[in-house]
Amino acid sequence: MPAKFIITFFCCFTFICVYSQSYIAGEVTDEKGVPVTGATVVLTNTTIGCVTDNDGSFKIDLPPVGSQKIEVSFMGYKHQYFPVFIKKDTVINLHIQLSPDNAAIGEIVVKGNSEDQKKREAPIKIEVLNTDKLQVKAVGLPQIINQISGVKIRQYGGVGSNTVVNINGLQGNKIRFFRDDIPMDYMGEAFSLSLVPVDQISSIEIYKGVLPVRLCADALGGAVNIISKQNDTNNLNVSFNYGSFNTQRATLSGYFEIPKTKIFTQLSSYYVSSDNNYKIDVDMADEETGNLREVTVDRFHSGVNSQFGEFIAGIKNTKWADVFKLSGAVFSIDKQKQNDIWMQEVFGEVMYYEDSKIFSGRYLKRFSKLNVDVFGAYSHLKTLFDDTPENTWNWLGEATPKEENDGSGEADDDVMSYRKYNWDYWVGRFFAQYDVNDHLHLAVNHSYTNQERVGSDPYAKTYGVDIDVLTIPAKYKRNISGLGVTADLFKGKITDEFTLKRYGVNTSSVESSSSYDGSISYLEDVGYGFGNSVKYTLTTNKYLRLSYERAIRIPEVEQYLGKSEDLIVGNPALKPERSNNLNVGFYTNLNRKKSIWLDWNSFYRYVEGEVVLQSYYTVQSQYNNVDDTKILGSEFTVKGKLFPDLDFNTAVTYQDIRRVNIQDSRYVLLKNARRPNIPYFFGNAGFHYHPDKFIGSGQWQFSVNYSYVEKYLLSSIAKSMEPDLFGSVDEDANLIPTQQVVDVGTTCKLHTKYPVWINLDVNNVLNAKVFDAYKVQKPGINYQLKIKCLIN
Amino acid sequence: MKFINFIGLLLLSAAFLNLTSCSDDDSDDPNTENSQENETDETDEDAVSDSISSYALWVITDTDDFSGLLMTTEDIPEGEVDPTTESYSLLGAARSAGISYGNAIYNPSNTSGDVGIQKFAYENNALSDEGFISVGESRFTFEVVSDTKGYYTDSERSRTAIQTFNPETMARTGEIDITDSINKYLTDDVSYTRLGSFMIENEGYLYTQVFYFNESGLHAFDSTFVAVFNVETDELVNVAIHPDYIWLGFERKNPNFIGKAENGDLYLASLVGNSTDQAHSRCLRILAGETQFDSSWKLDYNDIIGEEGSYSLGGPAVLDGKLYIRMKASGMATDYSNYTDEDLYAYEVDIDTQEATKIEDIPASSASSTYSVSGPVVMDDKVYFVVSNSEYQGYYAYDPTTGTSEEAFSFSGGIPSQFIEINE
């Protein structure tokens, strides 16, 4: 059903008496009358135009005299056209009300884009990636997110492989993940960035360094918040993507309101499968001589197969609840594992399985000035790591039966593994915000996570202890509380957001299988952090941003108490990692037409007592606080419209990540050395062409993106031995070479009357040799075709 | 106090030793003068009198990923050495306890960190890549016995055979299968077997250990098995058995735990042993030219410190009837509470009387870093001991004739991993 367009178009010709020159001005609002920031207003077939500012207003100076047509566009809303006649020294005032484009490429997004824009302009540095226009794209989320400055999603292979998120130089468990503001640990891999199709989400928020109070987590370096799709009209969405390496992604989702009731139901599901059998270059030993030779082979045993389904039922807009919903979800994944991170060992039978059942409920209500958001969830995850090979394998996929007296696994030279875990998660979160007035808001948040793990492994070494220590529960509780105050000061010139957080952990586990005497170790720890973010508005379209946070990351359970099966000995004396995070940013338009924008951000991080796994006694290891890390970096984004139908986006990041405060003579050579295996200079440039007319009656879009990653080190070396930042260097086993990748794609809506889109993406057009994490090679040139249908 | 079961640490060692380093060498063993003589005898008679010694040093710079540096020098260094200059960068350098044979260094990994035998030719104080033989498992050991013959283990190829290679062409040449001899001792308790941990040639015989593991990963028998090969015929001549299980050598770092005396006697030491007693260090002997253990001699390091838990990180080097070892002055506590204490000292032990003397003027090291098990080495009639603690990294030279020590050289940073002599 085509959406009902509500357009109020006021056109007042007002003659401004003498001496004034002509211009067109006005205001753009959404269907509810809320000003829309960032909407594009241009004169068609010209490059004259601008973007609406914070209060939705715009102004076009000196338009050409004569008959013109004004085009107004904004993501998720219908393009609007208004004829005007420009006279000399004439002022035209317009009030333009947009309406949602339910039939647009983007899906129905109740959470308006203006809301995303508000987040972008919050004192805390947030990158909001609205995925509306990307719904038809066949590419995965990592490829999309990597176009954001300061952010690198790094994959250990192809579709479904593990990912590491690096934000402003910090990565791994220093970054926390959320789904709709809720810490996502309880979901296992169900919302892994390398799995979840773009169709399943509405937007992605990247928090750089400082987290607002509504995201309660012990993140040192930022967070990723995945916003699920929110619907308010009935719809059904089906998509299927088929591509190289037998990659298949299918989604089925829908929303249905029972007529004449306030009950709604929602379905989200996806299926992802890939053989990931792309070509890689590896060093392979000659069977006879043992000498290495480089060969190009097809990957094998690298496939992934995953399914996710979630059903939601709820009511909304009642007296006692704005929204109350319950959901149940199931997820499963089978992953093959072919190699180690150095690409030196070939596995032909190692498997990872995960199955989960996830139940949750959420209650949202606004009581006058008080907003309440309550969430609870329980999930049960079963995982299995199976390393019980019957053969040894080479890179060609050739198997040789193992000898009878060979008890080794593939991932472990000493022992096989059939390690099962059962994980139970209980999650609770309470958030409330009280709006004292339009300029002062108070917020409180409490997040509770209880995780319990029980496992078994018939092949685990027992070291003389007559019990499989994995059968003894390992428990981990985390309570994080936060208080926040947001205030607009000096008539909105300054916006300040202050947060105070408390982090508490309580954990118990067997410390070491080789030292188990029947006792369980317990540990409690508490820490505090705070942050403050200020935004100073210079003019309507220019503002400065300054934020600081004293952040803390509580060590994981295995870091405190060890991981007995992996010979990691506990360290109860371990201290939480702490960091000082500072961001300074500036946002402005770069041209008078306000069609090109600059977003610049510089960041400083100082992490105290990095937690690192070190050797302990002869054969074991232990997490210890070691040296510090200092990060100094800068990033900028320039984006906008070169022409009315040509958008562009450029992002460049440099981050200098150094080991500092090294006192121990054993490591002093690495004083001020770069942290290895993290890119330190990277960027991208993308263009998006969307002509009004191209071929036939279809709506066409074309995109091209170029990305660059400067060479970086695999392993720490002394600063004096580091290669120059740019320029060629001799081939070095310790360097990942400079990488340049080009991706292109096109999308076509076949006919304006039919809600069917077809997308073709060609990734890595230059077939470049690409690495993301250690020496694991990523796919060369590959093709993805996607068909999407949206019925309203 | 928590009881620590050390039994499994033997198995655990496998995991750890994967990450540490190196192979061994006997005839090239720089720990003894004798080994130099043997080597030059076998390689180039004319070179004996004209041989010039140079030196190689391995330094670990980052224990996170075992990367580090390999540097060479024409003389024994003096003063403070900056290993970041004129060095060869190695990934996986912690694995490195390379050996020297002729004018080459054989390292248990290449510069990319691939596991295998890497030959670096040494000329004019510079190294060049002379070939690499890949090994399928991260833990292995090897030996070079002549210009054209070497041996190594590769459990991925076989757990009951040793491999042979040609150091000149740096290519594998075959394997010596001893399945029948190994299987002779199999019982239902044995889950899998393995060869390796140490490998050394002496007086025409090649020695390497045979392991029998049960399902728990523990050694199935309280006995030490060593396979003995004739290097002329490449035939197994015996499986020597010692009635107490000891994990001899230190896997790729085994040159640091195997010493050869001037008279050709072999001294084989280790950190850990069977599962029935607390882990502690011991040393066994095989007399020159013999294919059996010398049942009349055994050194238990517990006797030296007078308590359980003796803990040695390197040695013995052998010189003039004395063994030189690095050892904690007190036993390792069962809860590891003294694990990081800097009390690892140099000792001199009389072979005949087993009387031990702590060398007091060499500073203590920490036992906390098993990345560095650089054993004592004999050069120019002096014994060089590594000193590695939070304040200092370097080597001290002990002169047995005076009974005194002095600092030889220090590093500006990094963990010394190995110090050998190269014979050009």
Side-chain angles (χ1 to χ4, degrees):
Chain A
M1 183 181 75
K4 183 179 179 182
F5 301 115
I6 304 171
I7 306 171
T8 304
F9 176 28
F10 297 101
C11 181
C12 300
F13 295 89
T14 306
F15 183 76
I16 307 295
C17 55
V18 293
Y19 310 125
S20 73
Q21 295 177 311
S22 60
Y23 64 85
I24 304 170
E27 180 191 19
V28 178
T29 65
D30 65 13
E31 73 279 20
K32 295 175 182 174
V34 177
V36 173
T37 303
T40 302
V41 184
V42 296
L43 299 181
T44 56
N45 302 318
T46 74
T47 58
I48 300 170
C50 64
V51 176
T52 56
D53 58 22
N54 283 347
D55 58 6
S57 61
F58 67 91
K59 183 181 178 187
I60 300 174
D61 289 313
L62 299 173
V65 173
S67 182
Q68 302 286 352
K69 188 185 285 184
I70 294 176
E71 178 187 355
V72 183
S73 61
F74 193 61
M75 284 186 294
Y77 288 82
K78 196 70 178 166
H79 281 230
Q80 317 253 343
Y81 298 89
F82 308 105
V84 292
F85 188 82
I86 312 293
K87 293 180 179 177
K88 188 179 179 184
D89 295 333
T90 299
V91 172
I92 299 176
N93 279 316
L94 303 173
H95 178 93
I96 301 167
Q97 189 167 28
L98 298 175
S99 61
D101 183 6
N102 293 349
I105 285 172
E107 292 190 329
I108 311 147
V109 181
V110 169
K111 183 180 262 187
N113 293 289
S114 55
E115 187 127 334
D116 288 344
Q117 189 65 22
K118 283 177 186 170
K119 288 180 179 175
R120 287 188 188 103
E121 296 179 355
I124 292 174
K125 178 61 179 170
I126 310 170
E127 298 283 357
V128 182
L129 182 66
N130 191 303
T131 56
D132 287 346
K133 280 201 168 181
L134 305 171
Q135 298 289 308
V136 176
K137 298 288 283 180
V139 298
L141 282 178
Q143 195 172 329
I144 294 169
I145 295 175
N146 278 339
Q147 295 176 22
I148 299 175
S149 64
V151 183
K152 262 283 171 221
I153 310 289
R154 308 173 63 202
Q155 276 188 273
Y156 286 77
V159 174
S161 60
N162 291 345
T163 57
V164 172
V165 178
N166 185 301
I167 300 176
N168 288 160
L170 294 178
Q171 62 182 26
N173 50 25
K174 294 179 176 61
I175 308 296
R176 298 299 189 191
F177 293 84
F178 298 81
R179 182 194 184 200
D180 299 327
D181 300 347
I182 308 297
M184 211 161 60
D185 313 56
Y186 72 101
M187 299 202 70
E189 289 207 29
F191 263 69
S192 161
L193 293 176
S194 66
L195 276 181
V196 61
V198 68
D199 309 65
Q200 296 291 305
I201 62 175
S202 168
S203 62
I204 299 170
E205 300 169 1
I206 310 283
Y207 291 80
K208 295 181 173 177
V210 182
L211 298 192
V213 69
R214 64 188 169 78
L215 300 184
C216 255
D218 55 333
L220 274 196
V224 176
N225 189 19
I226 295 176
I227 306 299
S228 307
K229 226 168 243 318
Q230 311 285 321
N231 301 277
D232 70 346
T233 58
N234 296 344
N235 67 82
L236 180 65
N237 166 27
V238 184
S239 73
F240 181 72
N241 160 205
Y242 184 80
S244 302
F245 324 124
N246 195 24
T247 299
Q248 300 175 53
R249 289 188 181 95
T251 65
L252 173 64
S253 59
Y255 177 84
F256 178 69
E257 290 183 6
I258 298 175
K260 299 178 182 177
T261 73
K262 295 178 177 179
I263 300 172
F264 67 91
T265 59
Q266 187 174 335
L267 172 72
S268 300
S269 63
Y270 68 76
Y271 167 79
V272 175
S273 170
S274 178
D275 293 341
N276 284 320
N277 56 342
Y278 55 88
K279 292 192 182 304
I280 53 174
D281 298 325
V282 294
D283 290 329
M284 184 172 161
D286 182 271
E287 192 174 343
E288 290 300 318
T289 66
N291 297 142
L292 292 179
R293 58 190 164 92
E294 187 174 278
V295 293
T296 301
V297 298
D298 290 333
R299 290 195 71 156
F300 71 97
H301 195 65
S302 301
V304 64
N305 190 303
S306 175
Q307 301 90 35
F308 173 78
E310 181 179 39
F311 179 76
I312 300 172
I315 57 172
K316 64 180 184 180
N317 301 325
T318 68
K319 284 184 179 177
W320 61 276
D322 293 342
V323 175
F324 175 68
K325 59 183 179 181
L326 298 172
S327 81
V330 293
F331 168 75
S332 73
I333 185 170
D334 303 345
K335 258 200 242 190
Q336 298 173 323
K337 184 174 170 61
Q338 191 199 7
N339 51 269
D340 65 327
I341 58 173
W342 298 100
M343 298 294 280
Q344 291 174 350
E345 297 187 34
V346 193
F347 312 145
E349 297 173 43
V350 175
M351 290 294 301
Y352 175 77
Y353 304 91
E354 181 176 314
D355 291 283
S356 56
K357 294 180 178 62
I358 305 161
F359 306 95
S360 66
R362 192 158 195 167
Y363 171 80
L364 300 163
K365 176 66 181 171
R366 182 174 183 91
F367 301 94
S368 182
K369 294 182 174 181
L370 179 67
N371 262 318
V372 175
D373 181 351
V374 183
F375 176 86
Y378 166 77
S379 66
H380 181 74
L381 278 68
K382 291 181 180 177
T383 63
L384 168 64
F385 177 71
D386 183 356
D387 183 15
T388 53
E390 296 178 349
N391 304 282
T392 56
W393 297 79
N394 65 19
W395 285 113
L396 300 176
E398 297 167 341
T400 305
K402 285 173 62 179
E403 295 180 65
E404 190 179 340
N405 55 351
D406 182 352
S408 66
E410 293 186 292
D412 188 325
D413 284 344
D414 283 328
V415 68
M416 294 193 290
S417 183
Y418 194 77
R419 187 180 304 166
K420 287 182 176 178
Y421 283 128
N422 284 310
W423 306 76
D424 288 296
Y425 284 90
W426 293 266
V427 176
R429 185 247 195 182
F430 174 83
F431 173 77
Q433 176 171 306
Y434 183 74
D435 301 325
V436 178
N437 54 45
D438 288 345
H439 305 293
L440 181 62
H441 313 277
L442 308 176
V444 59
N445 196 355
H446 183 83
S447 168
Y448 167 81
T449 303
N450 186 342
Q451 164 192 328
E452 183 169 323
R453 187 202 74 190
V454 178
S456 66
D457 187 347
Y459 297 99
K461 296 170 183 173
T462 58
Y463 309 117
V465 178
D466 193 22
I467 187 171
D468 180 355
V469 293
L470 296 181
T471 60
I472 300 166
K475 301 177 181 177
Y476 190 68
K477 290 180 187 172
R478 196 186 329 227
N479 281 284
I480 301 177
S481 308
L483 291 170
V485 180
T486 304
D488 291 327
L489 307 170
F490 305 106
K491 296 182 179 178
K493 273 281 185 186
I494 293 178
T495 306
D496 187 277
E497 188 167 344
F498 175 79
T499 58
L500 176 67
K501 295 177 185 173
R502 176 192 181 276
Y503 311 89
V505 64
N506 182 319
T507 180
S508 64
S509 171
V510 175
E511 231 179 273
S512 166
S513 51
S514 62
S515 62
Y516 178 65
D517 63 354
S519 63
I520 307 292
S521 297
Y522 295 88
L523 186 136
E524 284 186 20
D525 204 354
V526 172
Y528 294 89
F530 66 95
N532 195 67
S533 303
V534 181
K535 174 188 160 193
Y536 178 69
T537 304
L538 298 167
T539 67
T540 307
N541 299 303
K542 289 185 176 64
Y543 53 84
L544 287 167
R545 191 189 266 131
L546 175 66
S547 61
Y548 166 80
E549 183 174 31
R550 175 67 171 169
I552 186 171
R553 185 189 73 82
I554 301 170
E556 313 297 323
V557 60
E558 66 265 22
Q559 295 179 332
Y560 268 132
L561 297 180
K563 196 173 181 187
S564 53
E565 66 274 26
D566 291 336
L567 300 174
I568 299 172
V569 177
N571 181 5
L574 199 63
K575 293 182 173 62
E577 292 175 325
R578 297 172 192 279
S579 74
N580 293 305
N581 300 335
L582 184 67
N583 280 48
V584 181
F586 177 58
Y587 183 84
T588 184
N589 57 300
L590 291 178
N591 60 348
R592 288 182 61 194
K593 290 182 291 185
K594 298 175 182 174
S595 59
I596 299 177
W597 300 84
L598 166 71
D599 192 353
W600 166 79
N601 180 47
S602 281
F603 49 92
Y604 168 83
R605 308 277 184 272
Y606 192 97
V607 182
E608 301 163 14
E610 286 259 13
V611 174
V612 171
L613 189 65
Q614 295 188 307
S615 167
Y616 183 77
Y617 190 54
T618 51
V619 294
Q620 306 183 58
S621 51
Q622 183 184 56
Y623 284 98
N624 286 294
N625 297 102
V626 290
D627 45 41
D628 301 344
T629 297
K630 186 170 79 174
I631 303 169
L632 199 55
S634 193
E635 64 191 33
F636 71 82
T637 300
V638 178
K639 61 184 176 183
K641 280 185 177 295
L642 292 175
F643 301 100
D645 50 8
L646 181 64
D647 304 334
F648 79 101
N649 176 81
T650 303
V652 177
T653 303
Y654 176 73
Q655 50 193 23
D656 197 34
I657 310 168
R658 301 278 175 184
R659 301 174 69 156
V660 294
N661 194 26
I662 298 176
Q663 305 295 332
D664 194 312
S665 68
R666 289 171 291 194
Y667 309 111
V668 75
L669 284 178
L670 299 179
K671 200 170 188 174
N672 295 318
R674 288 190 193 279
R675 287 276 177 200
N677 199 34
I678 302 174
Y680 44 84
F681 182 82
F682 51 91
N684 70 277
F687 295 89
H688 180 220
Y689 177 57
H690 45 90
D692 287 338
K693 286 192 174 181
F694 189 66
I695 299 175
S697 59
Q699 293 177 350
W700 292 82
Q701 297 186 33
F702 303 90
S703 63
V704 57
N705 187 69
Y706 163 80
S707 62
Y708 177 92
V709 178
E710 174 65 13
K711 62 183 177 297
Y712 59 92
L713 296 163
L714 269 174
S715 173
S716 281
I717 58 174
K719 187 177 182 182
S720 61
M721 302 177 76
E722 289 173 2
D724 294 335
L725 178 59
F726 299 108
S728 61
V729 295
D730 294 337
E731 189 175 339
D732 187 336
N734 194 23
L735 279 181
I736 291 294
T738 297
Q739 303 173 54
Q740 301 183 67
V741 176
V742 175
D743 304 318
V744 298
T746 183
T747 301
C748 178
K749 185 181 181 185
L750 296 175
H751 194 283
T752 51
K753 291 183 179 177
Y754 307 116
V756 177
W757 292 263
I758 296 177
N759 177 82
L760 174 66
D761 281 315
V762 184
N763 303 310
N764 196 357
V765 173
L766 304 178
N767 202 23
K769 202 169 174 177
V770 184
F771 303 91
D772 235 2
Y774 294 93
K775 288 193 170 180
V776 182
Q777 198 174 331
K778 292 181 65 183
I781 186 168
N782 62 91
Y783 308 87
Q784 303 291 331
L785 180 67
K786 182 174 180 177
I787 299 175
K788 180 182 176 73
C789 180
L790 172 64
I791 301 168
N792 292 301
Chain B
M1 180 178 289
K2 185 174 289 184
F3 169 73
I4 305 296
N5 187 332
F6 287 93
I7 302 168
L9 293 178
L10 291 178
L11 290 182
L12 309 184
S13 299
F16 165 74
L17 295 170
N18 283 346
L19 304 177
T20 60
S21 115
C22 239
S23 69
D24 97 87
D25 150 68
D26 76 301
S27 55
D28 310 306
D29 189 342
N31 291 356
T32 68
E33 295 174 338
N34 187 58
S35 64
Q36 297 163 24
E37 291 165 9
N38 286 347
E39 176 185 321
T40 49
D41 285 348
E42 292 173 9
T43 54
D44 186 351
E45 291 291 340
D46 296 334
V48 174
S49 58
D50 298 328
S51 66
I52 303 169
S53 288
S54 294
Y55 304 88
L57 288 152
W58 282 257
V59 181
I60 301 164
T61 51
D62 190 358
T63 54
D64 291 354
D65 58 6
F66 312 109
S67 58
L69 305 165
L70 166 60
M71 63 181 299
T72 56
T73 171
E74 292 178 329
D75 301 299
I76 292 179
E78 295 178 343
E80 184 177 270
V81 175
D82 181 357
T84 64
T85 59
E86 306 299 326
S87 289
Y88 222 77
S89 182
L90 293 174
L91 294 174
R95 299 178 176 136
S96 301
I99 61 173
S100 168
Y101 189 93
N103 61 344
I105 290 172
Y106 296 84
N107 197 60
S109 64
N110 63 14
T111 53
S112 300
D114 298 317
V115 178
I117 308 167
Q118 171 68 53
K119 181 180 181 182
F120 292 116
Y122 177 77
E123 190 173 9
N124 298 326
N125 200 28
L127 298 172
S128 59
D129 181 351
E130 286 289 305
F132 177 74
I133 297 172
S134 175
V135 174
E137 65 159 347
S138 54
R139 169 192 50 209
F140 78 106
T141 185
F142 68 96
E143 170 69 310
V144 180
V145 301
S146 74
D147 287 345
T148 56
K149 184 180 276 189
Y151 302 87
Y152 66 101
T153 60
D154 184 347
S155 290
E156 191 151 305
R157 285 186 183 273
S158 174
R159 291 177 167 257
T160 53
I162 60 170
Q163 310 300 311
T164 58
F165 73 101
N166 184 339
E168 193 170 81
T169 61
M170 283 305 289
R172 174 182 173 272
T173 52
E175 67 178 26
I176 306 170
D177 189 289
I178 57 170
T179 304
D180 291 343
S181 300
I182 288 177
N183 287 352
K184 197 162 63 176
Y185 300 98
L186 287 182
T187 67
D188 291 342
D189 290 338
V190 176
S191 173
Y192 59 101
T193 65
R194 184 170 78 81
L195 287 159
S197 180
F198 84 93
M199 183 177 277
I200 191 164
E201 187 270 345
N202 190 37
E203 305 282 332
Y205 293 113
L206 183 84
Y207 304 85
T208 193
Q209 191 160 0
V210 185
F211 296 92
Y212 297 89
F213 294 111
N214 62 23
E215 277 191 351
S216 293
L218 304 175
H219 205 256
F221 313 115
D222 192 10
S223 299
T224 304
F225 298 81
V226 170
V228 185
F229 300 84
N230 183 316
V231 297
E232 290 296 326
T233 62
D234 281 349
E235 291 178 346
L236 182 76
V237 294
N238 189 32
V239 175
I241 301 174
H242 173 76
D244 180 18
Y245 170 60
I246 304 171
W247 189 311
L248 298 172
F250 207 77
E251 298 296 342
R252 285 180 297 270
K253 285 185 180 293
N254 81 78
N256 291 310
F257 282 79
I258 310 293
K260 190 188 297 184
E262 298 92 324
N263 64 2
D265 292 347
L266 277 181
Y267 291 86
L268 312 164
S270 175
L271 268 178
V272 288
N274 61 20
S275 58
T276 57
D277 51 17
Q278 183 178 336
H280 63 290
S281 299
R282 281 157 284 188
C283 184
L284 301 177
R285 181 166 70 182
I286 296 176
L287 296 173
E290 294 294 324
T291 61
Q292 283 286 7
F293 288 103
D294 177 6
S295 59
S296 68
W297 191 93
K298 180 179 181 180
L299 177 63
D300 190 326
Y301 292 18
N302 284 354
D303 295 338
I304 297 174
I305 60 172
E307 59 181 293
E308 294 291 313
S310 55
Y311 187 87
S312 170
L313 275 186
V318 193
L319 181 63
D320 292 335
K322 303 284 176 53
L323 302 181
Y324 295 92
I325 58 178
R326 296 172 71 234
M327 185 172 59
K328 275 178 79 73
S330 57
M332 180 67 76
T334 53
D335 62 354
Y336 311 128
S337 56
N338 61 348
Y339 170 62
T340 57
D341 291 355
E342 294 186 345
D343 64 344
L344 197 72
Y345 287 97
Y347 285 84
E348 181 183 67
V349 183
D350 186 280
I351 292 174
D352 293 331
T353 66
Q354 299 197 353
E355 183 180 340
T357 306
K358 184 195 285 184
I359 303 173
E360 299 283 0
D361 53 1
I362 295 180
S365 297
S366 170
S368 63
S369 175
T370 47
Y371 303 114
S372 176
V373 292
S374 180
V377 291
V378 176
M379 295 175 186
D380 296 336
D381 293 330
K382 292 181 181 176
V383 186
Y384 286 81
F385 283 93
V386 68
V387 177
S388 175
N389 56 46
S390 57
E391 304 288 331
Y392 179 87
Q393 308 296 324
Y395 282 85
Y396 273 65
Y398 173 71
D399 186 345
T401 59
T402 63
T404 60
S405 310
E406 61 181 11
E407 182 188 27
F409 58 93
S410 64
F411 291 106
S412 55
I415 303 172
S417 176
Q418 182 81 346
F419 181 26
I420 66 169
E421 189 172 5
I422 310 168
N423 300 296
E424 293 182 85

